[in-house]
Amino acid sequence: MAELLRFEHVEISYGGESVVHDVSFSVKPGEILGLVGESGSGKSTLMKSAIGLLGNNGLVTRGDILFEGKNIPDLSEKELRKIRGARMGMIFQDAGASLCPIRTIGEQIYESMSAHRKISRQDARNQALALFDKLHFKDGKRIWDSYPFELSGGMNQRAGIAIAMLMQPAVLLADEPTSALDVAVQKQVVEEMKQLRDLFGTAILLVTHDIGVVSAMADTVLVLKDGYQVEYGPARQVLEHPMHEYTRKLLAAVPKLRRA
Amino acid sequence: MEPILQVSGLTKTFHANGKPDFTAVDQVSFLLYPGETVGIVGESGCGKSTLAKLLCRLLDVTEGTIRLCGQDITKARDRELFGAYRNIQMVFQDPLTSFDPRRTLGDGIGESLRNAGVSKTERERRVVELLEQCGLSETFAGRYPHEVSGGQCQRAAIARALAIKPKLLLCDEATSALDVTVQQQIMELLKELREKEKLSYLFICHNLALVQSFCDRVLVMHEGKIVEEGTTDQVIFYPQSDYTKILLDSIL
Ligand SMILES: Nc1ncnc2c1ncn2[C@@H]1O[C@H](COP(=O)(O)OP(=O)(O)OP(=O)(O)O)[C@@H](O)[C@H]1O
Ligand SMILES: Nc1ncnc2c1ncn2[C@@H]1O[C@H](COP(=O)(O)OP(=O)(O)OP(=O)(O)O)[C@@H](O)[C@H]1O
Ligand SMILES: [Mg+2]
Ligand SMILES: [Mg+2]
């Protein structure tokens, strides 16, 4: 099938200093790409660049980011807004900071859903509550009426996941989507993201430092170090036969549970 | 030996207009001894962060008592609370929002030292030293919180909590944004401080392998209550409560 999103020799800098160098990859519909790498290596930067959210000092200085035939860095803010949420969803690394602090989760979900299509508040709520259940929320109605400060770190993270998933985007950019979740909830969230892929053919760019999550989800894996792409290939190959020394170091450092 | 932290019957009920009361922490009691490391695990939303915020008095206690280094701090305010912060520090779950966006990371890290009357030159020296211990170069002192990566911000938060050399460190998912190699480096630092400075930890973490490698004892929380406790290996090898069993079965 045709590619949905393609990075071609992308270089990105903040305030003139380049932090991502010559990165190239692509995803097809329904493909899950795992992005792993050292803290500060440029993972979040790559995700934000795909959706035009690098901020005022960030810039794509070289290469192309092609999505549905358009080059993202060339698009106006107005054109980007049409893509964000509806065609490309983003789950931010800092869940708490990415939600609006003065509006309830329900208001934020209704607003994002109704921005791109006609939907009643009641329909939005029903869809959200059904997804909340699957994301292991015990009391969905309370979540719908809560402000972010009334929820825990992992609850806000799941609220962010729900907002992105309810839009059924073509591409989901998920930046550490399960970092604040206990393993039981994490397992459920991983299942739901795979469901989204299976049902709607959503392609997922997944940033995570949890190698267990990568191997449970990813079809392909890209390893980043100091802004350089050091390894890229099918997930099994990269995880079982890492070529680069850094990948080996990364896999060896995973803490493992001893059981009786 | 006297416990460094003595928590008894600690309860937090949130009240909000038009909403039913919500008890997030329910009759929690435990002891923590100097140099000891206690892990807290439990489902998302079970009350771990609320408990930690009660312990460092960022939230008012509804019921129960907290004694830190023999002193009752349950209702401590102003000067008394300031004094307590020399003994107890916290690394917050949400590192970005725990820094003032208008001030540099260096400012934030040095704040407790300034409050303690440490001179400017000494402060600057310590900030650089702390950053380096956490794997960050000194240039990070001049950066703002939104100009660094998630894991870099988290490491700056660890540096800030260590600045005043507390006796007890509350770590709320303090390494959750770090890749495993950097995580390893931070864990080495925490272990070294435990040995050299007799630092005690309350370590909230959903990574059970990490809890196993770092904690002496572990408390399992469920819906605001402690449902299981024991030595780390006891709880992981022979889980008793249903919830602990589910947790152990869910590891990917
Ligand atoms: N707004 C900014 N201004 C200047 N530098 C920035 C900015 N945002 C990020 N950086 C720098 O760019 C580099 C890449 O950051 P990025 O957030 O992409 O890393 P990351 O791989 O997501 O790391 P982590 O795993 O810690 O979240 C880092 O060195 C960071 O300090
Ligand atoms: N200010 C508040 N008002 C009302 N309810 C709150 C408030 N703060 C927290 N809660 C509720 O208390 C419960 C416990 O939250 P807490 O943040 O302590 O959970 P947690 O164990 O740290 O979870 P996580 O692992 O997801 O971070 C949650 O159900 C949350 O919705
Ligand atoms: Mg990041
Ligand atoms: Mg928490």
Side-chain angles (χ1 to χ4, degrees), chain A residues 61-107:
Chain A
T61 41
R62 220 174 276 178
D64 295 319
I65 302 171
L66 300 164
F67 174 66
E68 296 183 327
K70 300 184 190 96
N71 190 20
I72 296 284
D74 293 341
L75 298 186
S76 68
E77 184 59 28
K78 196 175 155 205
E79 289 167 298
L80 284 169
R81 229 170 303 163
K82 268 191 227 148
I83 294 176
R84 272 183 217 137
R87 299 298 299 150
M88 253 202 250
M90 173 116 186
I91 300 167
F92 292 89
Q93 182 171 12
D94 221 305
S98 71
L99 293 164
C100 171
I102 55 164
R103 284 179 308 140
T104 63
I105 301 298
E107 284 164 24

CSV table of all heavy atoms in Angstrom, one decimal, chain A residues 61-107:
chain,number,residue,atom,x,y,z
A,61,THR,N,15.1,22.5,8.9
A,61,THR,CA,16.1,23.3,8.1
A,61,THR,C,16.5,22.6,6.8
A,61,THR,O,17.1,23.1,5.9
A,61,THR,CB,17.3,23.6,8.9
A,61,THR,OG1,17.7,22.4,9.7
A,61,THR,CG2,17.1,24.8,9.8
A,62,ARG,N,16.1,21.3,6.7
A,62,ARG,CA,16.4,20.5,5.5
A,62,ARG,C,15.5,19.4,5.4
A,62,ARG,O,15.0,18.9,6.4
A,62,ARG,CB,17.9,20.0,5.6
A,62,ARG,CG,18.6,20.1,4.3
A,62,ARG,CD,20.1,19.7,4.5
A,62,ARG,NE,20.9,20.8,4.9
A,62,ARG,CZ,22.2,20.7,5.2
A,62,ARG,NH1,22.8,19.5,5.1
A,62,ARG,NH2,22.9,21.7,5.6
A,63,GLY,N,15.3,18.9,4.2
A,63,GLY,CA,14.5,17.7,3.9
A,63,GLY,C,13.0,18.0,3.9
A,63,GLY,O,12.5,19.1,4.0
A,64,ASP,N,12.2,16.9,3.6
A,64,ASP,CA,10.8,17.0,3.5
A,64,ASP,C,10.0,16.1,4.5
A,64,ASP,O,10.5,15.0,4.8
A,64,ASP,CB,10.3,16.6,2.1
A,64,ASP,CG,10.9,17.6,1.0
A,64,ASP,OD1,10.9,18.8,1.3
A,64,ASP,OD2,11.4,17.1,0.0
A,65,ILE,N,8.9,16.6,4.9
A,65,ILE,CA,8.0,15.7,5.7
A,65,ILE,C,6.7,15.6,4.9
A,65,ILE,O,5.9,16.6,4.9
A,65,ILE,CB,7.7,16.3,7.1
A,65,ILE,CG1,9.1,16.5,7.8
A,65,ILE,CG2,6.8,15.4,7.9
A,65,ILE,CD1,9.0,17.3,9.1
A,66,LEU,N,6.5,14.5,4.2
A,66,LEU,CA,5.4,14.4,3.3
A,66,LEU,C,4.2,13.6,3.9
A,66,LEU,O,4.4,12.5,4.4
A,66,LEU,CB,5.8,13.7,2.0
A,66,LEU,CG,7.0,14.5,1.3
A,66,LEU,CD1,7.6,13.6,0.2
A,66,LEU,CD2,6.4,15.7,0.6
A,67,PHE,N,3.0,14.3,3.9
A,67,PHE,CA,1.8,13.6,4.4
A,67,PHE,C,0.7,13.8,3.4
A,67,PHE,O,0.4,15.0,3.1
A,67,PHE,CB,1.5,14.2,5.8
A,67,PHE,CG,0.2,13.7,6.3
A,67,PHE,CD1,0.0,12.4,6.7
A,67,PHE,CD2,-0.9,14.6,6.5
A,67,PHE,CE1,-1.2,11.9,7.2
A,67,PHE,CE2,-2.1,14.1,6.9
A,67,PHE,CZ,-2.3,12.8,7.3
A,68,GLU,N,0.2,12.8,2.9
A,68,GLU,CA,-0.9,12.8,1.9
A,68,GLU,C,-0.6,13.8,0.8
A,68,GLU,O,-1.4,14.6,0.4
A,68,GLU,CB,-2.2,13.2,2.6
A,68,GLU,CG,-2.7,12.1,3.6
A,68,GLU,CD,-4.0,12.4,4.2
A,68,GLU,OE1,-4.3,13.6,4.5
A,68,GLU,OE2,-4.7,11.4,4.5
A,69,GLY,N,0.6,13.7,0.3
A,69,GLY,CA,1.1,14.5,-0.8
A,69,GLY,C,1.5,15.9,-0.5
A,69,GLY,O,1.9,16.7,-1.4
A,70,LYS,N,1.3,16.4,0.7
A,70,LYS,CA,1.7,17.7,1.1
A,70,LYS,C,3.0,17.7,1.9
A,70,LYS,O,3.3,16.8,2.6
A,70,LYS,CB,0.6,18.4,1.9
A,70,LYS,CG,-0.7,18.5,1.2
A,70,LYS,CD,-1.7,19.2,2.1
A,70,LYS,CE,-3.1,19.1,1.6
A,70,LYS,NZ,-3.9,18.1,2.2
A,71,ASN,N,3.8,18.8,1.8
A,71,ASN,CA,5.0,18.9,2.6
A,71,ASN,C,4.7,19.8,3.8
A,71,ASN,O,4.5,21.0,3.7
A,71,ASN,CB,6.1,19.6,1.7
A,71,ASN,CG,7.5,19.5,2.5
A,71,ASN,OD1,7.7,18.7,3.4
A,71,ASN,ND2,8.4,20.4,2.1
A,72,ILE,N,4.7,19.1,5.0
A,72,ILE,CA,4.2,19.7,6.2
A,72,ILE,C,4.9,21.1,6.5
A,72,ILE,O,4.2,22.1,6.8
A,72,ILE,CB,4.4,18.8,7.4
A,72,ILE,CG1,3.5,17.6,7.2
A,72,ILE,CG2,4.1,19.5,8.7
A,72,ILE,CD1,2.0,17.8,7.5
A,73,PRO,N,6.3,21.2,6.4
A,73,PRO,CA,6.9,22.5,6.7
A,73,PRO,C,6.5,23.6,5.8
A,73,PRO,O,6.6,24.8,6.2
A,73,PRO,CB,8.4,22.2,6.5
A,73,PRO,CG,8.5,20.7,6.6
A,73,PRO,CD,7.2,20.1,6.1
A,74,ASP,N,5.9,23.3,4.6
A,74,ASP,CA,5.5,24.4,3.7
A,74,ASP,C,4.0,24.9,4.0
A,74,ASP,O,3.6,25.9,3.5
A,74,ASP,CB,5.5,23.9,2.3
A,74,ASP,CG,6.9,23.6,1.8
A,74,ASP,OD1,7.8,24.1,2.4
A,74,ASP,OD2,7.0,22.8,0.8
A,75,LEU,N,3.3,24.2,4.9
A,75,LEU,CA,1.9,24.5,5.1
A,75,LEU,C,1.7,25.7,6.0
A,75,LEU,O,2.5,25.9,6.9
A,75,LEU,CB,1.1,23.3,5.7
A,75,LEU,CG,1.1,22.0,4.8
A,75,LEU,CD1,0.2,21.0,5.4
A,75,LEU,CD2,0.6,22.4,3.4
A,76,SER,N,0.6,26.4,5.7
A,76,SER,CA,0.3,27.6,6.6
A,76,SER,C,-0.3,27.0,7.9
A,76,SER,O,-0.8,25.9,7.9
A,76,SER,CB,-0.7,28.5,5.9
A,76,SER,OG,-1.9,27.8,5.8
A,77,GLU,N,-0.4,27.9,8.9
A,77,GLU,CA,-1.0,27.5,10.2
A,77,GLU,C,-2.5,27.0,9.9
A,77,GLU,O,-2.9,26.1,10.6
A,77,GLU,CB,-0.9,28.7,11.2
A,77,GLU,CG,-1.4,28.4,12.6
A,77,GLU,CD,-0.7,27.2,13.3
A,77,GLU,OE1,0.5,27.0,13.0
A,77,GLU,OE2,-1.3,26.6,14.1
A,78,LYS,N,-3.1,27.7,9.0
A,78,LYS,CA,-4.5,27.4,8.8
A,78,LYS,C,-4.7,26.0,8.2
A,78,LYS,O,-5.5,25.3,8.6
A,78,LYS,CB,-5.1,28.5,7.8
A,78,LYS,CG,-6.6,28.5,7.7
A,78,LYS,CD,-7.1,29.7,6.9
A,78,LYS,CE,-8.5,29.3,6.3
A,78,LYS,NZ,-8.8,30.0,5.1
A,79,GLU,N,-3.8,25.7,7.2
A,79,GLU,CA,-3.8,24.4,6.6
A,79,GLU,C,-3.5,23.3,7.6
A,79,GLU,O,-4.1,22.2,7.7
A,79,GLU,CB,-2.9,24.3,5.4
A,79,GLU,CG,-3.3,25.1,4.2
A,79,GLU,CD,-2.2,25.3,3.2
A,79,GLU,OE1,-1.2,25.9,3.5
A,79,GLU,OE2,-2.4,24.8,2.1
A,80,LEU,N,-2.5,23.6,8.5
A,80,LEU,CA,-2.1,22.6,9.5
A,80,LEU,C,-3.3,22.3,10.5
A,80,LEU,O,-3.5,21.2,10.9
A,80,LEU,CB,-0.9,23.2,10.3
A,80,LEU,CG,0.4,23.1,9.6
A,80,LEU,CD1,1.5,23.9,10.4
A,80,LEU,CD2,0.9,21.7,9.5
A,81,ARG,N,-4.0,23.4,10.8
A,81,ARG,CA,-5.1,23.2,11.8
A,81,ARG,C,-6.2,22.2,11.2
A,81,ARG,O,-6.8,21.5,12.0
A,81,ARG,CB,-5.7,24.6,12.1
A,81,ARG,CG,-5.9,24.7,13.6
A,81,ARG,CD,-6.3,26.1,14.0
A,81,ARG,NE,-5.3,27.0,13.5
A,81,ARG,CZ,-5.5,28.3,13.4
A,81,ARG,NH1,-6.6,28.9,13.8
A,81,ARG,NH2,-4.6,29.2,13.0
A,82,LYS,N,-6.3,22.2,9.9
A,82,LYS,CA,-7.2,21.3,9.3
A,82,LYS,C,-6.8,19.8,9.5
A,82,LYS,O,-7.6,18.9,9.6
A,82,LYS,CB,-7.4,21.6,7.8
A,82,LYS,CG,-8.6,22.5,7.6
A,82,LYS,CD,-8.9,22.6,6.1
A,82,LYS,CE,-9.0,24.0,5.6
A,82,LYS,NZ,-8.5,24.3,4.3
A,83,ILE,N,-5.5,19.6,9.5
A,83,ILE,CA,-4.9,18.3,9.6
A,83,ILE,C,-4.8,17.8,11.0
A,83,ILE,O,-5.2,16.7,11.3
A,83,ILE,CB,-3.5,18.3,9.0
A,83,ILE,CG1,-3.5,18.6,7.5
A,83,ILE,CG2,-2.8,17.0,9.2
A,83,ILE,CD1,-2.2,18.7,6.8
A,84,ARG,N,-4.4,18.7,11.9
A,84,ARG,CA,-4.3,18.4,13.3
A,84,ARG,C,-5.6,17.9,13.9
A,84,ARG,O,-6.6,18.5,13.8
A,84,ARG,CB,-3.8,19.6,14.1
A,84,ARG,CG,-2.3,19.8,14.2
A,84,ARG,CD,-2.0,20.9,15.0
A,84,ARG,NE,-0.8,21.6,14.5
A,84,ARG,CZ,-0.7,23.0,14.3
A,84,ARG,NH1,-1.7,23.7,14.8
A,84,ARG,NH2,0.3,23.5,13.8
A,85,GLY,N,-5.5,16.8,14.7
A,85,GLY,CA,-6.6,16.3,15.3
A,85,GLY,C,-7.4,15.3,14.4
A,85,GLY,O,-7.5,14.1,14.7
A,86,ALA,N,-7.9,15.9,13.3
A,86,ALA,CA,-8.7,15.1,12.4
A,86,ALA,C,-7.9,14.0,11.6
A,86,ALA,O,-8.2,12.8,11.6
A,86,ALA,CB,-9.5,16.0,11.4
A,87,ARG,N,-6.8,14.5,10.9
A,87,ARG,CA,-6.1,13.6,10.1
A,87,ARG,C,-4.9,13.0,10.9
A,87,ARG,O,-4.4,11.9,10.6
A,87,ARG,CB,-5.6,14.2,8.8
A,87,ARG,CG,-6.7,14.7,7.9
A,87,ARG,CD,-7.6,13.6,7.4
A,87,ARG,NE,-6.8,12.7,6.6
A,87,ARG,CZ,-7.1,11.4,6.5
A,87,ARG,NH1,-8.2,10.9,7.2
A,87,ARG,NH2,-6.4,10.6,5.7
A,88,MET,N,-4.3,13.9,11.7
A,88,MET,CA,-3.1,13.4,12.5
A,88,MET,C,-3.4,13.8,14.0
A,88,MET,O,-3.6,14.9,14.3
A,88,MET,CB,-1.9,14.2,12.0
A,88,MET,CG,-0.9,13.4,11.2
A,88,MET,SD,0.7,14.1,11.3
A,88,MET,CE,0.8,14.7,9.6
A,89,GLY,N,-3.4,12.8,14.8
A,89,GLY,CA,-3.7,13.0,16.2
A,89,GLY,C,-2.3,13.0,17.0
A,89,GLY,O,-1.4,12.3,16.6
A,90,MET,N,-2.3,13.7,18.1
A,90,MET,CA,-1.0,13.7,18.9
A,90,MET,C,-1.3,13.4,20.3
A,90,MET,O,-2.2,14.1,20.9
A,90,MET,CB,-0.3,15.0,18.7
A,90,MET,CG,0.9,15.1,19.5
A,90,MET,SD,2.5,15.2,18.6
A,90,MET,CE,3.7,15.2,19.9
A,91,ILE,N,-0.6,12.5,20.9
A,91,ILE,CA,-0.6,12.3,22.4
A,91,ILE,C,0.7,12.8,22.9
A,91,ILE,O,1.8,12.4,22.5
A,91,ILE,CB,-0.7,10.8,22.7
A,91,ILE,CG1,-2.0,10.2,22.1
A,91,ILE,CG2,-0.7,10.6,24.2
A,91,ILE,CD1,-2.1,8.7,22.1
A,92,PHE,N,0.7,13.9,23.7
A,92,PHE,CA,1.9,14.5,24.1
A,92,PHE,C,2.6,13.9,25.3
A,92,PHE,O,1.9,13.2,26.1
A,92,PHE,CB,1.6,16.0,24.5
A,92,PHE,CG,1.2,16.8,23.3
A,92,PHE,CD1,-0.2,16.9,22.9
A,92,PHE,CD2,2.1,17.5,22.5
A,92,PHE,CE1,-0.6,17.6,21.8
A,92,PHE,CE2,1.7,18.2,21.4
A,92,PHE,CZ,0.4,18.3,21.1
A,93,GLN,N,3.9,14.0,25.3
A,93,GLN,CA,4.7,13.4,26.4
A,93,GLN,C,4.2,13.9,27.7
A,93,GLN,O,4.1,13.2,28.7
A,93,GLN,CB,6.2,13.7,26.1
A,93,GLN,CG,7.1,13.0,27.2
A,93,GLN,CD,8.6,13.2,26.8
A,93,GLN,OE1,8.9,13.9,25.8
A,93,GLN,NE2,9.4,12.4,27.5
A,94,ASP,N,4.0,15.2,27.8
A,94,ASP,CA,3.6,15.8,29.1
A,94,ASP,C,2.1,16.0,29.1
A,94,ASP,O,1.6,17.0,28.8
A,94,ASP,CB,4.3,17.2,29.2
A,94,ASP,CG,4.8,17.4,30.6
A,94,ASP,OD1,4.1,17.3,31.5
A,94,ASP,OD2,6.1,17.6,30.7
A,95,ALA,N,1.4,14.9,29.5
A,95,ALA,CA,0.0,14.9,29.4
A,95,ALA,C,-0.6,16.0,30.2
A,95,ALA,O,-1.5,16.7,29.7
A,95,ALA,CB,-0.5,13.5,30.0
A,96,GLY,N,-0.2,16.2,31.4
A,96,GLY,CA,-0.8,17.2,32.3
A,96,GLY,C,-0.7,18.6,31.7
A,96,GLY,O,-1.7,19.4,31.7
A,97,ALA,N,0.5,18.9,31.1
A,97,ALA,CA,0.7,20.3,30.5
A,97,ALA,C,-0.1,20.4,29.2
A,97,ALA,O,-0.3,21.6,28.8
A,97,ALA,CB,2.2,20.5,30.4
A,98,SER,N,-0.4,19.3,28.5
A,98,SER,CA,-1.0,19.5,27.2
A,98,SER,C,-2.5,19.7,27.3
A,98,SER,O,-3.1,20.1,26.3
A,98,SER,CB,-0.7,18.3,26.3
A,98,SER,OG,-1.4,17.2,26.8
A,99,LEU,N,-3.1,19.4,28.4
A,99,LEU,CA,-4.6,19.6,28.5
A,99,LEU,C,-4.8,21.0,29.0
A,99,LEU,O,-4.0,21.6,29.6
A,99,LEU,CB,-5.2,18.6,29.5
A,99,LEU,CG,-5.1,17.1,29.1
A,99,LEU,CD1,-5.4,16.3,30.3
A,99,LEU,CD2,-6.2,16.9,28.0
A,100,CYS,N,-6.0,21.6,28.6
A,100,CYS,CA,-6.3,22.9,29.1
A,100,CYS,C,-6.7,22.8,30.6
A,100,CYS,O,-7.6,22.0,30.9
A,100,CYS,CB,-7.5,23.5,28.3
A,100,CYS,SG,-8.1,25.0,29.0
A,101,PRO,N,-6.1,23.6,31.4
A,101,PRO,CA,-6.3,23.4,32.9
A,101,PRO,C,-7.6,23.9,33.4
A,101,PRO,O,-8.1,23.5,34.5
A,101,PRO,CB,-5.2,24.3,33.5
A,101,PRO,CG,-4.8,25.3,32.5
A,101,PRO,CD,-5.0,24.6,31.1
A,102,ILE,N,-8.3,24.8,32.6
A,102,ILE,CA,-9.5,25.4,33.1
A,102,ILE,C,-10.8,24.9,32.5
A,102,ILE,O,-11.9,25.4,32.7
A,102,ILE,CB,-9.5,27.0,33.0
A,102,ILE,CG1,-9.2,27.4,31.6
A,102,ILE,CG2,-8.4,27.5,34.0
A,102,ILE,CD1,-9.5,28.8,31.3
A,103,ARG,N,-10.7,23.8,31.7
A,103,ARG,CA,-11.9,23.2,31.2
A,103,ARG,C,-12.0,21.7,31.5
A,103,ARG,O,-10.9,21.1,31.6
A,103,ARG,CB,-12.0,23.5,29.7
A,103,ARG,CG,-12.4,24.9,29.4
A,103,ARG,CD,-12.5,25.2,27.9
A,103,ARG,NE,-11.3,24.8,27.3
A,103,ARG,CZ,-11.2,24.2,26.1
A,103,ARG,NH1,-12.3,24.0,25.4
A,103,ARG,NH2,-10.0,23.9,25.6
A,104,THR,N,-13.2,21.2,31.7
A,104,THR,CA,-13.3,19.8,32.0
A,104,THR,C,-12.8,18.9,30.8
A,104,THR,O,-12.8,19.4,29.7
A,104,THR,CB,-14.7,19.4,32.4
A,104,THR,OG1,-15.5,19.6,31.3
A,104,THR,CG2,-15.2,20.2,33.6
A,105,ILE,N,-12.5,17.7,31.2
A,105,ILE,CA,-12.1,16.7,30.1
A,105,ILE,C,-13.3,16.6,29.1
A,105,ILE,O,-13.0,16.6,27.9
A,105,ILE,CB,-11.8,15.3,30.8
A,105,ILE,CG1,-10.7,15.4,31.8
A,105,ILE,CG2,-11.6,14.3,29.7
A,105,ILE,CD1,-9.4,15.8,31.2
A,106,GLY,N,-14.5,16.6,29.6
A,106,GLY,CA,-15.7,16.4,28.7
A,106,GLY,C,-15.7,17.6,27.7
A,106,GLY,O,-15.9,17.4,26.5
A,107,GLU,N,-15.6,18.8,28.2
A,107,GLU,CA,-15.6,20.0,27.3
A,107,GLU,C,-14.5,19.9,26.3
A,107,GLU,O,-14.7,20.2,25.1
A,107,GLU,CB,-15.4,21.3,28.2
A,107,GLU,CG,-16.7,21.7,28.9
A,107,GLU,CD,-16.3,22.7,30.0
A,107,GLU,OE1,-15.3,23.4,29.9
A,107,GLU,OE2,-17.1,22.8,31.0
